Amino acid sequence: MTLFAVIAAAPIVAQTAPPPQSVPTAPQQNSAGDSTTLTPEQLDRQWEGARDAAPAGAAGAAGAEPAQPAAADQGAGYADLADLVLAAPVIADATIRSTARIKGAEAADVAPGLVRFYVEADVTALIRGSGGVAPRLGYLLDVAPDSNGRLPKLKKARVLLFARTAGTSTAEIQLVARDAQRDWTPALDAQVRRIAREVLAADAPPVITGIGNAFHVPGALPGEGETQIFLTTSDQRPVSLSILRRPGEQPRWAVALSEIVDEAAAPPPRGSLLWYRLACALPAAMPDRSVASMAATDAVIAREDYQFVLRALGPCGRSPRR
């Protein structure tokens, strides 16, 4: 098993200095001599004809990270992928063309047990990147040897890259996290594209920043009532949780993305951007200030209803960041 990791702390190409001399310079032309930056539309038009063009076995050539199962990318958690998609202005499907091991001063900050490479990869399709990218990308990658001390065979591996451009060049990128290079699989590609569409949609749910006020209204019958919990968001858009209790029935809850609570509203499906926004951002308990204006009995019920929502959402499932 091998570990893919990227140096996310320092750009590949500093804005005020050229690449170190020991690092190969990223080529400015593709194999056909075309140095034109490709737009997302141009690359996506190539997608259907190129998606199966990678060499056989390339998808798994470099293995998986030791902390994850061998098929980790095929069943990758939504939260981990959403973190990468949200952090990456550039998401590219690419095939590794060449690698050059970096030693000496340029590798002085490499973590113990890792080996640094400069990688060049040819872009097959651009999943995200409004400014376009060069047909060939260069970036730094730190790799862990397997249990036998062997380094992975990176050349010809097909990967998904989650990155940002480094400096002003569209040919040099910086991966956004230590796990921001993933072995390409059809399932992973489809999931990443779906998340990217959700993130870029005009009606994408806002970032949840906390809990505002809440209230509970008891019903006419014992055990009947409704709790409404208002959430705070990064752009001040309204988001609220509604929990309805009826005698002899399981509580029902829904989320509203407007000031009007739609009676037909429902909980978000697991593995959706709205679910991610809630499950990965809501605190473990409702703050005292949110129920400060309620009667004590109503506050108890409101807290119970909030816990019901958390249980229904389930855990965020985010992996420890490396």
Side-chain angles (χ1 to χ4, degrees):
M1 296 296 179
T2 59
L3 171 64
F4 277 14
V6 64
I7 302 304
I12 296 170
V13 179
Q15 295 186 15
T16 57
Q21 292 183 355
S22 60
V23 180
T25 303
Q28 300 302 309
Q29 295 182 329
N30 60 17
S31 58
D34 181 9
S35 61
T36 304
T37 296
L38 300 184
T39 65
E41 292 76 13
Q42 289 171 324
L43 281 167
D44 281 337
R45 280 196 293 268
Q46 300 174 10
W47 166 245
E48 291 300 328
R51 64 184 302 167
D52 297 322
E65 298 181 356
Q68 300 175 346
D73 280 341
Q74 293 182 347
Y78 184 97
D80 287 340
L81 289 181
D83 286 347
L84 292 174
V85 171
L86 287 165
V90 174
I91 304 174
D93 170 2
T95 299
I96 294 177
R97 179 185 184 88
S98 65
T99 62
R101 185 168 177 175
I102 301 174
K103 301 180 181 180
E106 289 82 15
D109 60 342
V110 177
L114 301 182
V115 176
R116 177 165 295 175
F117 287 95
Y118 181 80
V119 179
E120 291 183 334
D122 293 326
V123 177
T124 300
L126 188 63
I127 297 173
R128 183 180 186 184
S130 59
V133 296
R136 187 172 300 159
L137 301 174
Y139 56 97
L140 292 180
L141 189 70
D142 286 0
V143 179
D146 63 17
S147 58
N148 295 318
R150 292 189 296 264
L151 293 171
K153 296 179 180 179
L154 299 172
K155 190 175 181 180
K156 298 184 180 181
R158 187 172 179 180
V159 295
L160 286 180
L161 304 173
F162 301 83
R164 61 179 68 91
T165 55
T168 58
S169 172
T170 60
E172 298 286 341
I173 60 172
Q174 175 192 6
L175 302 190
V176 298
R178 290 174 61 89
D179 57 351
Q181 175 174 291
R182 299 290 186 100
D183 290 340
W184 186 94
T185 67
L188 179 64
D189 185 278
Q191 189 175 18
V192 169
R193 288 172 180 269
R194 180 171 63 85
I195 296 173
R197 285 194 296 269
E198 289 184 288
V199 168
L200 298 175
D203 59 350
V207 175
I208 306 299
T209 58
I211 300 177
N213 294 325
F215 66 85
H216 176 76
V217 179
L221 301 175
E224 186 178 54
E226 182 175 2
T227 297
Q228 191 163 12
I229 303 169
F230 296 94
L231 306 181
T232 57
T233 62
S234 61
D235 59 1
Q236 311 306 314
R237 278 191 281 166
V239 178
S240 63
L241 307 174
S242 297
I243 304 93
L244 182 63
R245 291 174 175 260
R246 290 198 174 107
E249 297 182 8
Q250 180 79 358
R252 293 188 293 112
W253 77 281
V255 58
L257 299 179
S258 68
E259 295 178 351
I260 300 175
V261 179
D262 186 353
E263 292 185 359
R270 185 174 179 85
S272 65
L273 186 60
L274 180 54
W275 168 85
Y276 162 88
R277 293 294 197 200
L278 296 169
C280 297
L282 290 177
M286 189 182 297
D288 292 339
R289 57 177 171 73
S290 297
V291 297
S293 61
M294 293 187 196
T297 54
D298 291 343
V300 169
I301 296 174
R303 291 183 185 277
E304 291 176 353
D305 286 346
Y306 179 71
Q307 292 301 315
F308 170 76
V309 170
L310 293 185
R311 290 193 298 272
L313 286 169
C316 168
R318 179 182 284 132
S319 301
R321 307 311 296 175
R322 286 175 291 276

